[in-house]
Amino acid sequence: MTNNTYRSMVVSQTDNGRYQREITAKRVSELPEGDVLIRVNYSSLNYKDALSAVGNKGVTRNYPHTPGIDAAGVVEACSDGSFPLNAQVLVTGYDLGMNTSGGFGQYIRVPSDWVVPLPSGLSERESMIFGTAGFTAAMSVYRLASAGVTPDRGDILVTGATGGVGSLAVAILATAGYKVAAVSGKKQAAAFLKELGATDILPREALADSAKKPLLEKRWMGVVDTVGGDILSTAIKSTHQRGVVTCCGLVASPKLNLTVFPFILRGVSLFGIDSASCPMAERKTLWYKLANEWKPLGLERIASEINLMRLDENIAKILEGQQIGRKIINLNS
Ligand SMILES: NC(=O)c1ccc[n+]([C@@H]2O[C@H](COP(=O)([O-])OP(=O)(O)OC[C@H]3O[C@@H](n4cnc5c(N)ncnc54)[C@H](OP(=O)(O)O)[C@@H]3O)[C@@H](O)[C@H]2O)c1
């Protein structure tokens, strides 16, 4: 087994400091130490993968490297006995695809405490339609619900709504009975967002706060923000008394220009989302929900499938903010 070769995307740094990507053969013996060897059948493309694939040192310190923060497949070897051979499993987050060889290859080897048994009710493919994006969306919805934002309390705003996290947040919220307003920069995607269950579609300009007041008219009981910057600060200033906002991303900006007034006058709560380090007990709870009551009926509509050869064009697209929904990677095609 250890001399077996497998196909993988490898990103390496060239002599002139640029980064190049190739699909090449690697040996299983080159994988890092770990308890569980997994034959990867599906992975998915996330914004963080694209950053790793273009040499972003904030994500990946050392190259050559195989990105892919998500993987679903079967156990081929397990040294500590925690998983039987051929068990269907998934891994998202932790260090996978960052500085540990990731799911853009047909094998990964990881510590057993990173591995989640595939919940019944989800196929490996479906688990990667969710992937880190869907898991992050689920974590965000869980924060809203746990803080008392139930569907009867008011509207929920989702930003970056056609992206991976955004589209799955819209779909999960609608499935759970919430009324969802979606902010998107893509006019052409209104039908897609309505199909996912959004009742209102807002252009990004609707979240531009030209008045720069500390508080704005109350509109949202909850917010799932994936973009940061002015859109997030406007959303926080427009959140109802005791409303809840989650923050996971920075595609617009890592900055947040605010006063404390939304927090001290309206009791708004802002929750940070760190899906990569979500504790295992909560991780299993959320995957169970994604396989059951939060599984959107039209899950397949959110994703399209590609193979390793088509990753390049899709990495460029996600970095330009042009991704709609999810791309899953079939490692066997
Ligand atoms: N903290 C965590 O645990 C965690 C986990 C997963 C992802 N993330 C982060 O969440 C963010 C979204 O990830 P993703 O995988 O969903 O990425 P994605 O698929 O590229 O989605 C991002 C979406 O944001 C919108 N957008 C892009 N550029 C924008 C801009 N300049 N201003 C406003 N909106 C913009 C676009 O949607 P519209 O065109 O519809 O507006 C885009 O499709 C990233 O920053 C990612 O790193 C964090």
Side-chain angles (χ1 to χ4, degrees), residues 47 136 162-165 184-186 204 226 248 250 252 273 275 318:
Y47 190 76
T136 304
T162 66
V165 181
S184 177
K186 301 184 189 85
R204 288 185 199 159
T226 71
C248 75
L250 43 54
I273 301 295
S275 64
I318 200 167

Side-chain angles (χ1 to χ4, degrees), residues 45-48 51 69 132-133 136 139 159-166 183-186 189 193 204 225-227 231 247-253 273-276 317-326:
L45 178 63
N46 297 276
Y47 190 76
K48 205 188 223 178
L51 294 178
I69 63 174
T132 286
T136 304
M139 221 173 143
T159 67
T162 66
V165 181
V183 183
S184 177
K186 301 184 189 85
L193 290 169
R204 288 185 199 159
D225 177 68
T226 71
V227 304
I231 290 181
C247 152
C248 75
L250 43 54
V251 287
S253 168
I273 301 295
D274 57 343
S275 64
K317 208 166 164 186
I318 200 167
L319 287 172
E320 287 159 11
Q322 290 311 311
Q323 160 135 304
I324 296 184
R326 297 273 294 150

Side-chain angles (χ1 to χ4, degrees), residues 77-100:
C78 178
S79 60
D80 69 358
S82 39
F83 292 91
L85 292 189
N86 296 322
Q88 289 184 295
V89 293
L90 65 95
V91 183
T92 64
Y94 297 104
D95 190 51
L96 187 69
M98 294 181 69
N99 290 291
T100 300

